[in-house]
Amino acid sequence: MTEAREPAGPNDGKSARHAPGTPCWVSLMARGPAAAQEFYAALFGWEFRPGPQQLGPYARALLDGREVAGIGRLPPDRQLPVAWTPYLASDDVDRTAETVRHCGGTIGVGPLDAAEAGRLAIGSDPSGAVFGVWQAAAHLGAAVTGVPGAPAWNELVTFESATVAKFYESVFGYRQEAVVSADFDYVTLHADGRAVAGIHGVGGALPRDRGPHWVTYFTVADTDDAVDHVLHLGGQVLVPARDGVRGRVATVADPEGAQFALLQRPR
């Protein structure tokens, strides 16, 4: 989808090193990565170039020449959902992995080196939501965020926020800020003095076939137009476009079922 680009802001150009706990990258593990690349190229205007191959075929997505995300192949012998996974920055991924285990989470992959790019681990929190940990070397992470076609926000959808928020606070040192409301369970996680992610407790509204999971929001110029494009490309709409505190949002899925959100910032 061709959209006018907005200024990239303070992270324009080369990436800066991300503060620990900051979402710094998102990766999609797909059964058919070539088809996934075609879908997201048409939707967001991405181009691709090869990335580290330690976990199998992998490509980095570029938006106007700047890296924004990655797409790899889900091993056929693993019965895992096709999903976008956020990577949280760490200065020492081995130490972070130990802390994840100590605090009740699990580490399923790594820690391991991704060539000269950096070192990674993939784990899950005590509720089962999967996330990555990234210790940067040559690859610092996303070079641009918050412009059409780039990630804007990451949000954990889970049963309730309090318990799992304590886990992420213990592992990454976040400061929590809870929404005080009797009917809305939401915690914002802060790192390096700014909000970097959210945790939304939805109780029984959590889909039984999915369980707790992270959702990546991608900026678009027009949410309604982007939703139409998703449908045209063979994806589906899970939650129709609606106006919220962050802007106009829709939750969609690509043709393989990987969920993500589209976000149009308030004008």
Side-chain angles (χ1 to χ4, degrees):
M1 179 168 57
T2 303
E3 296 173 331
R5 306 291 183 214
E6 299 172 1
N11 60 344
D12 193 6
K14 293 185 177 180
S15 301
R17 184 168 293 274
H18 295 271
T22 304
C24 59
W25 190 247
V26 289
S27 275
L28 170 67
M29 300 304 286
R31 295 185 181 90
Q37 289 181 30
E38 291 182 9
F39 174 86
Y40 289 99
L43 182 62
F44 293 138
W46 290 351
E47 298 177 335
F48 294 90
R49 70 180 177 198
Q53 308 293 304
Q54 272 72 9
L55 300 180
Y58 191 81
R60 290 178 183 160
L62 286 79
L63 180 68
D64 295 336
R66 294 170 293 185
E67 296 177 344
V68 292
I71 295 180
R73 186 178 68 191
L74 188 66
D77 59 337
R78 294 198 179 187
Q79 299 301 313
L80 297 172
V82 176
W84 281 100
T85 300
Y87 281 72
L88 309 176
S90 170
D91 289 336
D92 186 334
V93 70
D94 294 83
R95 183 180 299 172
T96 299
E98 290 180 7
T99 307
V100 167
R101 296 188 185 100
H102 178 74
C103 293
T106 60
I107 297 295
V109 177
L112 56 84
D113 290 326
E116 75 286 351
R119 190 163 171 80
L120 67 86
I122 301 174
S124 57
D125 65 31
S127 74
V130 176
F131 64 95
V133 182
W134 182 252
Q135 179 182 338
H139 176 62
L140 298 181
V144 60
T145 60
V147 303
W153 184 248
N154 288 279
E155 187 172 280
L156 173 61
V157 181
T158 188
F159 295 108
E160 56 85 26
S161 67
T163 302
V164 74
K166 290 179 181 178
F167 165 83
Y168 286 98
E169 180 184 39
S170 297
V171 174
F172 293 103
Y174 295 122
R175 179 179 66 82
Q176 298 183 35
E177 185 176 301
V179 173
V180 180
S181 172
D183 57 357
F184 188 61
D185 179 12
Y186 198 94
V187 171
T188 302
L189 302 176
H190 293 249
D192 198 32
R194 64 187 182 91
V196 296
I199 300 177
H200 188 188
V202 298
L206 192 71
R208 292 184 179 181
D209 61 344
R210 186 67 201 278
H213 59 280
W214 282 90
V215 177
T216 296
Y217 287 65
F218 292 94
T219 303
V220 293
D222 186 308
T223 298
D224 297 273
D225 178 63
V227 165
D228 289 343
H229 212 60
V230 166
L231 293 172
H232 176 73
L233 294 168
Q236 58 183 315
V237 178
L238 304 177
V239 180
R242 74 280 188 198
D243 293 318
V245 294
R246 297 190 180 278
R248 189 159 178 79
V249 179
T251 304
V252 298
D254 68 21
E256 283 199 18
Q259 299 181 19
F260 58 101
L262 304 166
L263 172 63
Q264 176 186 341
R265 298 288 191 184
R267 299 188 185 280

